[in-house]
Amino acid sequence: MPVELPPQTDESTRPAQAGDKAPPKPAIEREVVLAKPAPAGFLAQLRGSFRLDHLVEHPSVARQIEALAAQGANGEHLANLNDPAGARLDYLRYVCAQVRARDLPGELCLVPIVESGLDPHAFSPQGAGGLWQFVPGTARQFGLKVDWWADERRDPVSATTAALDYLEQLHARFGDWLLALAAYNCGEGRLERALRRASGEATGFFEIDVPRETRNHVAKLLAYAAVFAAPDDFGVELPLGEDMSAEADFAVVGTGSQIDLSLAASAMGKSVEYLNQRNPALKRWATHPRGPHRLIVDGADMEAAMDAFEGLGGEERLQWQPVRVEANDTLGHLALRFGTDVATLRQMNGLPSTLIRTGDELLVPVGGIMRRPGADIFAPRSSATGASSAFVYVVRAGDSIWRIARRLGVTRKALMHANGIGPRDILSIGQRLDVP
């Protein structure tokens, strides 16, 4: 028959009795705080993003590595990274952040070092300009403005977006990053022809017949990548420390509309030179009337800039003065005389068309300087290289770069450099050229 067991006692509720052992102390969960690892510095992030084979044993790459090792930290491009204002390292860090954001090979970060030494004012004899060395036609194809107001090839933000878009497009077309880089240098058509000429056994970039400049360009990029990856292996001292932050020290702040740089600088408590230095794409006294409506400022000045620009009313963004329209004046003539464009004059004066009448009173910007009577010139300003230009020449029918340079007593190279144009660029009647 079943055995009946005595009832179980709930030890948690039984009164304590003599001779009982003291209950064990409850376990205390100790909070373990682990120190967060410091964010990786710029070089660590860059090396971690490398994906390509640097082909250090290939003769073309080995020669470029030897050249870098011979130059050391004082080499042409490495030494220039540490410019006094620190802008070029900022550009490099910004470029790398954009490359990482797109999940692209980190080697692409180094393209503007090879192209321009990260100098936004770099200009080639072929007419390529800016950090990424766009020619005007390709720049406009990818949405960059190259006009009287601005040369966005020199804008680190806009030009980087355009360059990475272009490189991604080239990679999608050719299916190989070295071929994409080659096409970026020599052009898609030329690379396409080189591939057609190659034998069926050709499988890589260095096995096809491309211009020497293109071969050296790609080899130099791989050499830079190899050196950045392991500088000690090649006896190269990099001009930036392992602990350098990966964060670019500048911010892009919206202005809401076109703004006079002197007014923007005054609202921020800064100098105009400060804004000019941070915004190398701007060529005039104000931002571009068609945008982008923004300015680049130091990271530490971001909040102050946002507050300053938000506090400016529409009438405080541009300085204007009333001008009486005289006989034979046109809106185009007034735009030229006062350093602006027709669209800006129409918008500010509420004009439904370009028609104006003698005696009308129009508001024009103070930023421009009155043209001297009988001369197609006005407003001394900074040229593409940052040097002051003497005046502006307006292109007429039959003009060419060579004829204009000869007529004005300047060299063709200086004229092209001052305006960021190449020898094959087509001039248009009415186009305004800065004469150095």
Side-chain angles (χ1 to χ4, degrees), residues 55 58 60-61 178 204-209 215-216 218-219 222:
L55 302 172
H58 192 281
S60 295
V61 179
L178 296 191
F205 166 73
F206 286 107
E207 295 176 304
I208 62 175
D209 183 21
R215 180 176 293 263
N216 290 338
V218 175
L222 294 176

Side-chain angles (χ1 to χ4, degrees), residues 194-233:
L195 289 170
R196 286 199 297 266
R197 290 194 303 267
S199 66
E201 298 178 357
T203 59
F205 166 73
F206 286 107
E207 295 176 304
I208 62 175
D209 183 21
V210 294
R212 178 181 297 178
E213 176 192 345
T214 300
R215 180 176 293 263
N216 290 338
H217 176 84
V218 175
K220 183 178 288 187
L221 178 72
L222 294 176
Y224 269 102
V227 166
F228 271 87
D232 293 342
D233 290 355

